Amino acid sequence: MGPPPLASNASSSRSTRDPDASAPEDLDCGDEAANWFNEALGATNLRLHRVVRKPSRNGNVLVTSDASLEELERRSRLDQMARQLQPNIILTGCAAHAEDEWSVIEFRQGDAAAELAPLQPVARGKGATDPMRTLSSYRSGRKLCELPTRHRAHYACHKGDVFFGQCGRSRVLSGHPRLRVKDTVKVYFDDYHQ
């Protein structure tokens, strides 16, 4: 049996609330590829999909912590969560999911400074596959809206979604700062900072 026939005109089944989001696009590879896939696996109802990642066009940055990634790895018994979830910035030195309470992250290099704000929770899906299934057991809007968190109302409106990390828009305050590995950042826990 040769490789699956992939349709060049694959149809998109991506659904997202933000058309500028950098979420992956899910492309169905067509009936011929699905038939090949089902025959190869002895199944009857499988579809072959190709995931295409698009670069972010809106300047948003996904922030999480190494502790959050480690907690997910511990609960799911999977590894390489950073590779799977692809956060832009991974911070160390904080508790798992501490980023849920941050409103702004600021970093400076001499006279240059930038910030990520406002930080908002990131919906990662509906919990159909691991690690999403594991995240849904403790990071769903349904679970998080019961906690005393700054995003409680948001979670309550999105109970079926699964959340991991925070999304912020980068803004240069002065100069040309570059965030590098092992740089120190300052986090703010309210909506006002100086």
Side-chain angles (χ1 to χ4, degrees):
M1 180 176 265
L6 300 178
S8 59
N9 59 347
S11 63
S12 172
S13 59
R14 175 178 163 190
S15 65
T16 180
R17 291 184 192 103
D18 179 4
D20 268 346
S22 60
E25 188 168 359
D26 179 5
L27 300 174
D28 187 312
C29 293
D31 292 336
E32 192 176 355
N35 292 337
W36 179 94
F37 199 55
N38 281 295
E39 182 181 334
L41 296 176
T44 59
N45 60 352
L46 301 176
R47 301 289 300 175
L48 183 60
H49 291 259
R50 182 170 46 121
V51 176
V52 178
R53 294 199 178 274
K54 293 184 175 182
S56 175
R57 295 180 302 222
N58 57 10
N60 285 343
V61 176
L62 176 60
V63 179
T64 192
S65 67
D66 62 344
S68 299
L69 292 165
E70 288 168 6
E71 175 69 7
L72 176 55
E73 288 177 353
R74 183 186 68 75
R75 288 178 182 244
S76 67
R77 297 185 182 140
L78 299 171
D79 59 5
Q80 299 185 357
M81 286 295 106
R83 178 174 280 171
Q84 290 188 41
L85 298 174
Q86 299 184 339
N88 302 95
I89 298 173
I90 302 171
L91 300 176
T92 61
C94 60
H97 308 293
E99 62 270 20
D100 290 355
E101 297 303 316
W102 303 339
S103 59
V104 175
I105 298 173
E106 181 181 272
F107 56 96
R108 296 183 173 276
Q109 292 175 330
D111 293 336
E115 69 179 11
L116 300 175
L119 293 180
Q120 297 293 324
V122 179
R124 300 298 298 190
K126 299 288 185 190
T129 62
D130 245 317
M132 295 303 121
R133 183 178 302 126
T134 300
L135 281 170
S136 68
S137 71
Y138 73 108
R139 298 291 302 166
S140 69
R142 187 169 287 102
K143 301 269 185 185
L144 295 171
C145 74
E146 297 172 2
L147 302 175
T149 174
R150 66 188 297 269
H151 299 296
R152 189 175 186 171
H154 179 79
Y155 296 138
C157 292
H158 303 280
K159 289 183 178 180
D161 288 340
V162 175
F163 294 89
F164 188 84
Q166 299 289 310
C167 188
R169 184 173 293 258
S170 58
R171 183 172 70 126
V172 173
L173 302 175
S174 63
H176 302 286
R178 292 181 67 108
L179 185 60
R180 294 184 175 97
V181 173
K182 297 191 180 188
D183 277 356
T184 300
V185 299
K186 185 173 186 177
V187 298
Y188 295 91
F189 292 90
D190 57 21
D191 291 328
Y192 176 78
H193 69 281
Q194 293 186 7

